[in-house]
Amino acid sequence: MEPMVKHEGLVACMNRVNVDTDQIIPKQFLKRIERDGFGEFLFFDWRYLPDGSPNPEFELNRPEAQGATILLVDDNFGCGSSREHAVWALRDYGFRVILAPSFADIFYNNCFKNGLLPIRIPRDLYKQLSEAHARGEWRRMTVDLEQQTVATEHGVNLSFEIDPHKRHMLLHGLDDIGITLQYEAEIAAYETSRRPYQLVYA
Amino acid sequence: MGKTLFEKVWDAHVVKELPDGQTLLYIDLHLVHEVTSPQAFAGLRFAGRKVRGPELTFATMDHNVPTVNPKDVRDAIARKQIETLEQNCREFGVQLAGLDSPFQGIVHVIGPELGLTMPGKTIVCGDSHTSTHGAFGALAFGIGTSEVEHVLATQCLWQSRPKTMRIQLNGSLQPGVTAKDVILGLIAKYGVNFGTGHVVEYAGSLIPELSMEQRMTICNMSIEFGARAGMMAPDETTIAYVQGRRYAPKGADWEACVAAWRDLKSDPDAVFDVDVVLDVNDLEPQVTWGTNPGQGVGISGAVPDPKDAKSEEEALAIRQALEYMDLKPGTKISEIPIQHVFIGSCTNARIEDLRLAASIVKGRRVADGVRAVVVPGSKQVKQQAEAEGLHEIFLEAGFEWREPGCSACLGMNPDIIPAGERCASTSNRNFEGRQGKGARTHLVSPAMAAAAALAGHFVDVRELTSEGVTA
């Protein structure tokens, strides 16, 4: 997995609450058996008009959002289905960081497995940043995972909280499975002391 | 201080705790389906890893499966996904209830009915509605594909300890009001993210009155208000449900399990991070009008006016939902016409759901202009329903009677609601485009779906009399 230490990039803003994973990647694109190539289907139903042309109204299709690598979005982003395809699509499109007042739990976890950094920010700050963004006062920001700080080009600085384990994994691009297998002895020991209802009876 | 049910199950599964708070949890049951597993198996193959606990891993296919002729998968990409699961199960030694199996069905329907789901277990699946299994007092939650790969390889999962919430459901349901109305009413009252970061325990005087299938309906939709998992303490109803099922323990093993389950409940002095109390005595049958499961109201209600919203954000959300749903503020719910009825999904496609719907449509006819479909949750549910003659009741009323699968809940198979048309659906999500691009979903109970099929619009199922339905 690609590590994430520091990232500077263009910010796209979506002023929407409860964006569910069905919107991020609609079900007709879940049938593929690969992890890559989902970016072109990101936000498909919002992004394209029925004739297949880009919907000029959609936030990511606006000229100022072209090349965005950071997404600023409202509450409860990634709710609904557990589909990791949503994260694959965001990453494949080019996003490395998402800032929102809150994320749905499964989506939040999935981000860290794919080098995508989700940052929770206070809702007041979200409103302040998105309104200033809409007024064109700023477009770019720098995110520093090591320092746990965010700095916008118009001078707003903030620090964010993140689970130290998740931070460590992302900073070093670590594979969870490799780490877990270091605890093989503990897992094997646990398995010898399982309770009767933990087993599957044939 | 005492422990909550969740804490007891969590503590019993800790393999390793790191100083930074991460816990390696042992997973007792891993359910697998065709959509969220191919990349996980490919990851194993790439790294030369095996499935650590094939005996604890159980696969089926449900999301893509056609419900007219399940073996006639005309969508080449869907067929490839189904074949990939078959091949992966063979290669990695995982048990599969495939298209030929008498046990195939929606993963969250077959787990319980096969006795794989039991109290006290940790259960995961690459599907958010894994919360269903919490009805047994299991800790059950949905995971992403990377975590599916992790569980396949290690039979464990790294987790940070969630917060706890107790939701006390007190009172009794009026006739015609169901578990589905309880969970829809709860989400309508508290919103779609009030459970985020929490494992919920449902308690209160209502729970002992509910059958296991009703309990599963409530736990199933825990994810729809953001909860990590929903749980209910096992009781005699739970134990009676599990006993004798295909994979349930027998003899001395069974006795040992039952003895251990007696302690699986929150201690009287256990403390929850959040406590919620909901009285269900006056609860009405619920119907959603919007594009998330919290945008719903009782059948006597009306479509809300954004002007009455409590905040600017809520007003915006209502306006966006009404535009997509093509509804006007103030429209009475009972005046909304429907063109489709879908009785199915992991929320409401079990035998009791079908019995309830059949009891309402018996001897009546689906309204003109309505296409109504019943998709049983599993082969076993279908077989049981047919043994009871329910299929004949549905067919005589003008319903279609299909083969099991996820079907129109998410429309990954050919069962799609056309753009601009409305569906009274017993499923769990009314998101934009969920049942088909431009499709308009109204979430209801099986009773309300059946009643809407007869009337062609929503009606209060409590007012249906033997004289028939007023259209």
Side-chain angles (χ1 to χ4, degrees):
Chain A
M1 188 181 76
E2 197 180 337
M4 152 70 69
V5 180
K6 198 170 179 178
H7 179 80
E8 193 280 332
L10 185 72
V11 179
C13 184
M14 284 175 67
N15 198 12
R16 300 179 190 241
V17 295
N18 301 325
V19 174
D20 57 74
T21 53
D22 273 80
Q23 298 316 317
I24 298 173
I25 183 83
K27 72 310 187 96
Q28 62 267 38
F29 306 112
L30 304 185
K31 297 171 189 170
R32 303 173 70 247
I33 59 172
E34 300 84 18
R35 272 177 187 258
D36 53 5
F38 287 97
E40 59 180 302
F41 311 122
L42 179 72
F43 295 117
F44 190 86
D45 288 354
W46 288 344
R47 196 167 143 201
Y48 300 103
L49 295 170
D51 67 2
S53 64
N55 174 5
E57 304 278 302
F58 181 57
E59 293 90 326
L60 297 188
N61 289 339
R62 292 179 191 154
E64 66 271 23
Q66 300 314 302
T69 57
I70 300 172
L71 183 63
L72 177 66
V73 62
D74 207 344
D75 240 352
N76 200 28
F77 188 74
C79 61
S81 158
S82 63
R83 57 188 71 167
E84 196 163 316
H85 312 63
V87 175
W88 299 336
L90 288 159
R91 274 292 276 125
D92 197 51
Y93 182 88
F95 285 116
R96 295 300 319 265
V97 180
I98 306 179
L99 298 101
S102 69
F103 296 89
D105 289 332
I106 304 176
F107 176 86
Y108 186 79
N109 274 330
N110 286 342
C111 286
F112 289 96
K113 315 289 182 190
N114 296 280
L116 182 63
L117 171 61
I119 299 176
R120 296 186 182 111
I121 57 171
R123 186 128 202 291
D124 292 350
L125 184 63
Y126 165 78
K127 290 199 74 171
Q128 186 194 321
L129 286 177
S130 64
E131 283 165 16
H133 189 275
R135 290 191 298 267
E137 291 170 20
W138 69 287
R139 286 284 178 251
R140 306 186 73 87
M141 68 164 50
T142 302
V143 175
D144 188 330
L145 178 56
E146 198 144 41
Q147 301 298 320
Q148 296 178 222
T149 57
V150 171
T152 69
E153 63 175 344
H154 73 313
V156 172
N157 294 285
L158 64 123
S159 56
F160 60 90
E161 298 285 318
I162 190 164
D163 177 278
H165 178 82
K166 290 189 167 73
R167 174 176 169 273
H168 178 78
M169 301 293 288
L170 204 48
L171 278 175
H172 301 281
L174 294 176
D175 165 16
D176 256 347
I177 297 176
I179 292 179
T180 307
L181 291 175
Q182 295 171 9
Y183 298 103
E184 165 62 30
E186 281 90 343
I187 300 171
Y190 179 88
E191 284 176 334
T192 61
S193 63
R194 279 179 289 171
R195 293 153 187 82
Y197 57 78
Q198 292 184 260
L199 310 175
V200 169
Y201 294 82
Chain B
M1 194 173 74
K3 283 185 180 182
T4 65
L5 166 63
F6 157 74
E7 287 159 347
K8 289 180 183 182
V9 178
W10 174 279
D11 290 351
H13 288 83
V14 174
V15 172
K16 177 80 186 173
E17 238 167 352
L18 297 183
D20 65 12
Q22 282 289 302
T23 301
L24 190 62
L25 270 196
Y26 195 80
I27 302 302
D28 298 325
L29 178 64
H30 186 191
L31 301 168
V32 172
H33 66 82
E34 78 276 20
V35 177
T36 57
S37 66
Q39 295 87 351
F41 282 111
L44 288 189
R45 197 177 290 116
F46 182 71
R49 289 169 177 149
K50 293 178 179 168
V51 174
R52 184 185 176 89
E55 75 287 0
L56 305 178
T57 311
F58 202 96
T60 192
M61 32 198 93
D62 51 9
H63 284 64
N64 274 334
V65 179
T67 57
V68 174
N69 180 359
K71 290 195 161 176
D72 184 17
V73 188
R74 294 184 191 172
D75 178 340
I77 310 174
R79 190 167 61 240
K80 173 85 175 157
Q81 204 167 50
I82 287 171
E83 289 167 358
T84 299
L85 180 62
E86 288 169 346
Q87 188 191 327
N88 284 331
C89 287
R90 269 197 306 274
E91 180 180 339
F92 289 94
V94 170
Q95 306 160 85
L96 170 69
L99 294 179
D100 287 323
S101 166
F103 307 121
Q104 178 266 338
I106 304 175
V107 66
H108 308 307
V109 175
I110 71 168
E113 79 184 2
L114 290 173
L116 292 165
T117 301
M118 292 204 290
K121 281 191 182 187
T122 45
I123 302 176
V124 297
C125 174
D127 190 285
S128 59
H129 292 112
T130 309
S131 56
T132 310
H133 310 265
F136 291 78
L139 175 60
F141 51 92
I143 56 178
T145 296
S146 294
E147 290 179 317
V148 169
E149 182 180 342
H150 190 279
V151 176
L152 288 172
T154 69
Q155 205 56 44
C156 294
L157 208 50
W158 290 102
Q159 292 283 298
S160 42
R161 203 181 179 94
K163 289 182 270 194
T164 57
M165 178 187 294
R166 177 171 56 188
I167 299 178
Q168 296 190 64
L169 302 168
N170 289 329
S172 297
L173 300 177
Q174 296 171 20
V177 181
T178 69
K180 180 65 162 289
D181 303 302
V182 172
I183 190 67
L184 286 175
L186 181 79
I187 303 171
K189 182 165 181 184
Y190 292 99
V192 288
N193 61 355
F194 85 103
T196 303
H198 293 77
V199 167
V200 169
E201 179 177 342
Y202 299 96
S205 65
L206 174 69
I207 306 301
E209 295 182 13
L210 300 178
S211 69
M212 284 317 295
E213 298 194 356
Q214 292 173 307
R215 295 180 197 186
M216 282 188 253
T217 297
I218 292 178
C219 287
N220 171 276
M221 288 190 67
S222 301
I223 184 68
E224 307 310 335
F225 60 92
R228 195 78 182 96
M231 302 176 80
M232 295 175 181
D235 60 9
E236 294 307 319
T237 304
T238 319
I239 292 168
Y241 179 97
V242 176
Q243 189 167 25
R245 289 186 184 265
R246 184 174 173 83
Y247 290 99
K250 316 272 181 312
D253 289 330
W254 172 253
E255 296 306 323
C257 288
V258 172
W261 291 335
R262 299 286 178 205
D263 184 49
L264 273 183
K265 54 187 176 214
S266 291
D267 295 327
D269 56 343
V271 176
F272 295 81
D273 295 309
V274 180
D275 240 309
V276 172
V277 181
L278 184 74
D279 188 306
V280 301
N281 283 313
D282 298 326
L283 188 73
E284 283 190 291
Q286 302 285 306
V287 180
T288 65
W289 48 263
T291 53
N292 72 51
Q295 291 178 321
V297 68
I299 179 66
S300 68
V303 175
D305 193 324
K307 282 187 226 143
D308 302 330
K310 291 190 281 288
S311 65
E312 203 181 305
E313 286 78 20
E314 193 190 327
L316 177 68
I318 294 174
R319 270 197 298 275
Q320 284 173 351
L322 295 191
E323 188 187 335
Y324 181 84
M325 295 296 288
D326 190 29
L327 289 170
K328 294 197 168 47
T331 303
K332 291 179 74 175
I333 295 296
S334 59
E335 289 170 1
I336 299 173
I338 50 115
Q339 295 81 44
H340 298 264
V341 170
F342 171 62
I343 298 178
S345 86
C346 59
T347 312
N348 280 126
R350 296 180 178 82
I351 190 67
E352 290 176 12
D353 299 316
L354 304 194
R355 284 179 190 143
L356 177 60
S359 73
I360 289 156
V361 305
K362 187 171 186 175
R364 294 168 167 152
R365 286 290 303 170
V366 170
D368 289 343
V370 174
R371 182 174 191 186
V373 177
V374 183
V375 181
S378 69
K379 290 247 182 83
Q380 289 203 85
V381 170
K382 180 167 187 270
Q383 191 183 19
Q384 178 65 32
E386 290 179 352
E388 296 177 20
L390 303 184
H391 64 309
E392 284 163 1
I393 295 173
F394 285 118
L395 288 166
E396 280 164 19
F399 279 79
E400 296 172 41
W401 178 250
R402 298 287 189 86
E403 298 293 328
C406 298
S407 181
C409 173
L410 83 169
M412 276 194 73
N413 75 344
D415 304 337
I416 288 171
I417 308 300
E421 299 191 10
R422 282 180 205 289
C423 181
S425 180
T426 67
S427 56
N428 41 55
R429 291 193 174 129
N430 49 349
F431 296 155
E432 284 183 30
R434 172 85 177 175
Q435 295 194 292
K437 188 167 180 173
R440 298 174 179 138
T441 304
H442 297 270
L443 302 177
V444 288
S445 73
M448 287 290 286
L454 305 175
H457 57 85
F458 293 108
V459 287
D460 189 337
V461 68
R462 295 171 301 177
E463 290 168 7
L464 281 189
T465 65
S466 55
E467 285 87 60
V469 185
T470 45

